[in-house]
Amino acid sequence: MMIVMKPAATEEEVQAVVERVHSVGARAHVIYGDELTVIGAIGDAEHVARLELESTPGVDHMVPISKPYKLASSQIKHGQRTVLDIAGRKIGGDHFAMIAGPCTIESREQTLETARIVAAAGATLFRGGAYKPRTSPYAFGGLGQEGLHLLAEAREQTGLPIVTEVMDARDLEAVIEVADVIQVGARNMQNYTLLSEIGRCGCPALIKRGLSSTLEELLMAAEYILKEGNESVMICERGIRTFETAYRFTLDLMAIPVLKELTHLPVIVDPSHAAGRRDLVLPMSLAAAAAGADGIIVEVHPNPDEAICDAAQQLRADEFAGYLERVLASAAVAGKALSTDVSIAG
Ligand code: PEP
Ligand code: MN
């Protein structure tokens, strides 16, 4: 249930409503907008039905949230979009993010070289996997802790915030020492205990759509993180499994405008894993940016042909600056530009 306060409602009136919500066993989620304050009452439907707040001072009206995801729903924000601040880089609203880096952290040289190149070109965040979900249990699973150290060094040298995946809650503590954004991989999108742990740890999260997940399932996964009080969540379309075999997955471009209708959270697109082919990454990035994506997460490697993982899809680092320039022209069509309000280095 959403409780919309009157424009002139006082803070005391807001707090009285919050207390009333708690008293029926529900959670109160207060959103202070430019003109209105809205309080989301989240909990058991029976509890929420007992609220009866219509004639409470300061309350204007109540609107039920019809979607099964509540905190992720655009209804709760009354049309406002969430803008995340990742170490000074804004993502969402008019702010476009370019998250770039190798699939896998392989070595010090490969990591630092890629980080320097993407930072110099103007990337917003640096990505790289230290813990890699691999289809084959015999494939390289990442450098683990050593990879995290290399990511920390890349951050120190370039100032770029780090996005890296956590696969197991047991590694969460070590990962959040380094990560500015935790990535939840497509294969873990419905790992609900991991999602709740990430929600509790408070580190911003980027959650990727499962290979065969609906948009509603994706938003319910985001809800697990939001429910724990962690409001810094981005969602990512990375291609879904269809009958087509000419490319690795099918990039669901329609998900971009539809997700933006359903949720206030920033919507990121990963053309690399969808395509599985380098030549498709630019056209899909252009299309995603023009369709209103809030950012792109893309794989870049100094020498992709020798990459340990995802060799066929990683962009060549020396082509990244040209790629970014073209993607930004496309983002501009949708009214977005890179966040320039960068207040950190290291
Ligand atoms: C990745 O980004 O490195 C990755 C493995 O992606 P996904 O979970 O989307 O397959
Ligand atoms: Mn990859």
Side-chain angles (χ1 to χ4, degrees), residues 117 278 300-301 314-325:
I117 292 171
R278 187 174 308 122
V300 182
H301 193 287
Q314 302 202 58
L315 295 182
R316 298 183 201 288
D318 58 5
E319 290 170 0
F320 178 72
Y323 161 84
L324 177 55
E325 197 180 322

Short mmCIF file of all heavy atoms in Angstrom, two decimals, residues 117 278 300-301 314-325:
data_model
loop_
_atom_site.label_atom_id
_atom_site.label_comp_id
_atom_site.label_asym_id
_atom_site.label_seq_id
_atom_site.Cartn_x
_atom_site.Cartn_y
_atom_site.Cartn_z
N ILE A 117 43.24 2.00 -19.99
CA ILE A 117 42.69 2.36 -21.30
C ILE A 117 41.22 2.79 -21.18
O ILE A 117 40.83 3.82 -21.74
CB ILE A 117 42.85 1.19 -22.31
CG1 ILE A 117 44.35 1.01 -22.62
CG2 ILE A 117 42.04 1.42 -23.58
CD1 ILE A 117 44.69 -0.23 -23.43
N ARG A 278 31.98 -10.39 -30.96
CA ARG A 278 32.46 -9.01 -30.91
C ARG A 278 31.73 -8.09 -31.90
O ARG A 278 31.39 -6.96 -31.59
CB ARG A 278 33.96 -9.01 -31.18
CG ARG A 278 34.67 -7.70 -31.00
CD ARG A 278 36.17 -7.90 -31.15
NE ARG A 278 36.61 -8.98 -30.27
CZ ARG A 278 37.23 -10.10 -30.67
NH1 ARG A 278 37.54 -10.28 -31.92
NH2 ARG A 278 37.56 -11.03 -29.81
N VAL A 300 35.99 -5.80 -22.34
CA VAL A 300 37.11 -5.21 -23.10
C VAL A 300 38.39 -5.91 -22.66
O VAL A 300 38.58 -6.13 -21.45
CB VAL A 300 37.23 -3.70 -22.78
CG1 VAL A 300 38.35 -3.06 -23.58
CG2 VAL A 300 35.91 -2.97 -23.02
N HIS A 301 39.25 -6.23 -23.62
CA HIS A 301 40.49 -6.96 -23.29
C HIS A 301 41.61 -6.44 -24.18
O HIS A 301 41.36 -6.14 -25.35
CB HIS A 301 40.23 -8.45 -23.55
CG HIS A 301 41.27 -9.37 -22.98
ND1 HIS A 301 42.54 -9.48 -23.51
CD2 HIS A 301 41.23 -10.21 -21.91
CE1 HIS A 301 43.23 -10.35 -22.79
NE2 HIS A 301 42.46 -10.82 -21.81
N GLN A 314 34.89 -10.16 -26.48
CA GLN A 314 35.46 -8.98 -25.81
C GLN A 314 35.95 -7.97 -26.85
O GLN A 314 36.58 -8.33 -27.84
CB GLN A 314 36.61 -9.40 -24.90
CG GLN A 314 36.14 -10.40 -23.85
CD GLN A 314 37.04 -10.47 -22.63
OE1 GLN A 314 37.26 -9.47 -21.97
NE2 GLN A 314 37.55 -11.65 -22.34
N LEU A 315 35.65 -6.70 -26.61
CA LEU A 315 36.12 -5.65 -27.51
C LEU A 315 37.63 -5.52 -27.36
O LEU A 315 38.17 -5.74 -26.28
CB LEU A 315 35.49 -4.30 -27.16
CG LEU A 315 33.98 -4.14 -27.33
CD1 LEU A 315 33.58 -2.71 -26.97
CD2 LEU A 315 33.55 -4.46 -28.76
N ARG A 316 38.30 -5.11 -28.46
CA ARG A 316 39.74 -4.85 -28.36
C ARG A 316 39.92 -3.51 -27.64
O ARG A 316 39.28 -2.52 -28.01
CB ARG A 316 40.35 -4.77 -29.75
CG ARG A 316 40.22 -6.06 -30.52
CD ARG A 316 40.89 -6.00 -31.89
NE ARG A 316 40.32 -7.04 -32.75
CZ ARG A 316 40.56 -8.34 -32.62
NH1 ARG A 316 41.38 -8.77 -31.70
NH2 ARG A 316 39.97 -9.22 -33.42
N ALA A 317 40.81 -3.51 -26.66
CA ALA A 317 40.98 -2.30 -25.84
C ALA A 317 41.30 -1.08 -26.69
O ALA A 317 40.82 0.02 -26.41
CB ALA A 317 42.04 -2.54 -24.78
N ASP A 318 42.09 -1.27 -27.75
CA ASP A 318 42.47 -0.09 -28.54
C ASP A 318 41.29 0.44 -29.38
O ASP A 318 41.40 1.49 -30.00
CB ASP A 318 43.72 -0.36 -29.40
CG ASP A 318 43.55 -1.52 -30.35
OD1 ASP A 318 42.43 -2.08 -30.42
OD2 ASP A 318 44.53 -1.88 -31.04
N GLU A 319 40.21 -0.29 -29.41
CA GLU A 319 39.03 0.20 -30.14
C GLU A 319 37.97 0.79 -29.20
O GLU A 319 36.92 1.25 -29.65
CB GLU A 319 38.41 -0.95 -30.96
CG GLU A 319 39.28 -1.35 -32.13
CD GLU A 319 38.82 -2.64 -32.82
OE1 GLU A 319 37.81 -3.23 -32.39
OE2 GLU A 319 39.50 -3.04 -33.77
N PHE A 320 38.29 0.75 -27.89
CA PHE A 320 37.26 1.13 -26.93
C PHE A 320 36.87 2.61 -27.00
O PHE A 320 35.68 2.95 -26.92
CB PHE A 320 37.69 0.76 -25.50
CG PHE A 320 36.70 1.17 -24.47
CD1 PHE A 320 35.49 0.50 -24.33
CD2 PHE A 320 36.93 2.28 -23.65
CE1 PHE A 320 34.54 0.90 -23.41
CE2 PHE A 320 35.99 2.68 -22.71
CZ PHE A 320 34.80 1.99 -22.59
N ALA A 321 37.86 3.49 -27.18
CA ALA A 321 37.55 4.93 -27.18
C ALA A 321 36.56 5.26 -28.32
O ALA A 321 35.59 6.01 -28.12
CB ALA A 321 38.82 5.75 -27.30
N GLY A 322 36.82 4.71 -29.50
CA GLY A 322 35.93 4.94 -30.65
C GLY A 322 34.54 4.38 -30.40
O GLY A 322 33.51 4.99 -30.74
N TYR A 323 34.52 3.20 -29.78
CA TYR A 323 33.24 2.55 -29.44
C TYR A 323 32.45 3.44 -28.48
O TYR A 323 31.26 3.71 -28.71
CB TYR A 323 33.55 1.18 -28.81
CG TYR A 323 32.41 0.59 -28.00
CD1 TYR A 323 31.40 -0.14 -28.62
CD2 TYR A 323 32.36 0.74 -26.60
CE1 TYR A 323 30.36 -0.69 -27.87
CE2 TYR A 323 31.34 0.19 -25.85
CZ TYR A 323 30.33 -0.52 -26.49
OH TYR A 323 29.30 -1.05 -25.76
N LEU A 324 33.13 3.94 -27.44
CA LEU A 324 32.42 4.74 -26.44
C LEU A 324 31.85 6.02 -27.07
O LEU A 324 30.70 6.41 -26.79
CB LEU A 324 33.37 5.09 -25.27
CG LEU A 324 32.79 6.00 -24.18
CD1 LEU A 324 31.50 5.42 -23.60
CD2 LEU A 324 33.80 6.21 -23.05
N GLU A 325 32.63 6.62 -27.93
CA GLU A 325 32.16 7.86 -28.57
C GLU A 325 30.85 7.60 -29.33
O GLU A 325 29.90 8.38 -29.24
CB GLU A 325 33.25 8.33 -29.53
CG GLU A 325 33.10 9.77 -29.94
CD GLU A 325 34.21 10.19 -30.89
OE1 GLU A 325 35.36 9.74 -30.69
OE2 GLU A 325 33.91 10.92 -31.83
#
